């Protein structure tokens, strides 16, 4: 009986340790977006819709599932509620710094990109976008500081 109690306590301690050692989720989509939000419907104007932001943060995006990279903030930088049509939906960064994109789509999946164009800018394209909320983080490759950037949202290539 004493051996069973010790084994149970040891197992509980090991599970508690593993819980503390596991990486935390890097983003919290329930937080208010740093640079606002918008509702867009297919065929929106102006196209592209642009938002000026500061890319980067203190959270390492590599902690997420998939191939995410870049340092981001805890809260999303921008939130788009989108009513889909037949057009693609494209998110792109433009900056003098090396930026990344991390998007939590309406399906709860993570979509990430770094350097789609080989120029330090990132792009995530949804060929058949879903209606719903897209939480968007614009990351900065490498830790330390932030950088001026623009987020472009478009339905044209």
């Amino acid at each position: 009986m004493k051996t069973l109690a010790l084994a149970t306590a040891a197992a509980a301690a090991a599970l508690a340790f593993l819980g503390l050692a596991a990486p935390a989720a890097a983003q919290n989509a329930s937080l208010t977006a740093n640079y606002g939000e918008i509702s867009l419907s297919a065929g929106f104007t102006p196209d592209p819709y642009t938002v000026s932001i500061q890319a980067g943060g203190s959270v390492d995006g590599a902690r997420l599932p998939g191939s995410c990279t870049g340092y981001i903030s805890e809260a999303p930088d921008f939130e788009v509620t989108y009513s889909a049509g037949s057009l693609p939906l494209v998110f792109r960064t433009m900056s003098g710094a090396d930026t990344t994109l991390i998007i939590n789509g309406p399906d709860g999946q993570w979509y990430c990109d770094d350097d789609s164009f080989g120029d330090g800018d990132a792009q995530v394209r949804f060929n058949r976008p879903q209606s719903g909320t897209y939480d968007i983080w614009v990351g900065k490759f490498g830790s330390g500081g932030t950088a001026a950037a623009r987020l472009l949202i478009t339905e044209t290539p």
Side-chain angles (χ1 to χ4, degrees):
M1 186 77 160
K2 191 173 185 180
T3 303
L4 179 60
L6 287 173
T8 303
L15 287 174
F17 175 76
L18 289 174
L20 292 174
Q27 283 85 15
N28 186 342
S30 67
L31 294 175
T32 301
N34 296 323
Y35 298 94
E37 60 186 65
I38 192 166
S39 291
L40 297 172
S41 295
F44 64 85
T45 58
D47 185 351
Y49 181 85
T50 62
V51 182
S52 294
I53 64 162
Q54 288 292 312
S58 60
V59 177
D60 186 354
R63 298 173 122 186
L64 287 169
S67 57
C68 296
T69 188
Y71 283 81
I72 53 170
S73 65
E74 184 177 349
D77 288 312
F78 200 68
E79 183 178 281
V80 175
T81 301
Y82 183 69
S83 294
S86 60
L87 299 170
L89 180 62
V90 181
F91 298 90
R92 178 157 192 221
T93 62
M94 294 190 77
S95 176
D98 189 355
T99 56
T100 66
L101 266 174
I102 298 174
I103 299 175
N104 186 247
D107 58 1
Q109 298 295 309
W110 295 99
Y111 301 88
C112 309
D113 186 62
D114 178 29
D115 295 337
S116 274
F117 296 96
D119 63 359
D121 292 326
Q123 176 177 291
V124 174
R125 178 185 178 96
F126 296 90
N127 288 322
R128 292 192 174 113
Q130 296 177 356
S131 293
T133 300
Y134 293 79
D135 289 299
I136 305 147
W137 287 261
V138 179
K140 182 176 164 286
F141 192 79
S143 61
T146 60
R150 285 188 307 149
L151 171 65
L152 282 74
I153 304 161
T154 184
E155 293 176 314
T156 60

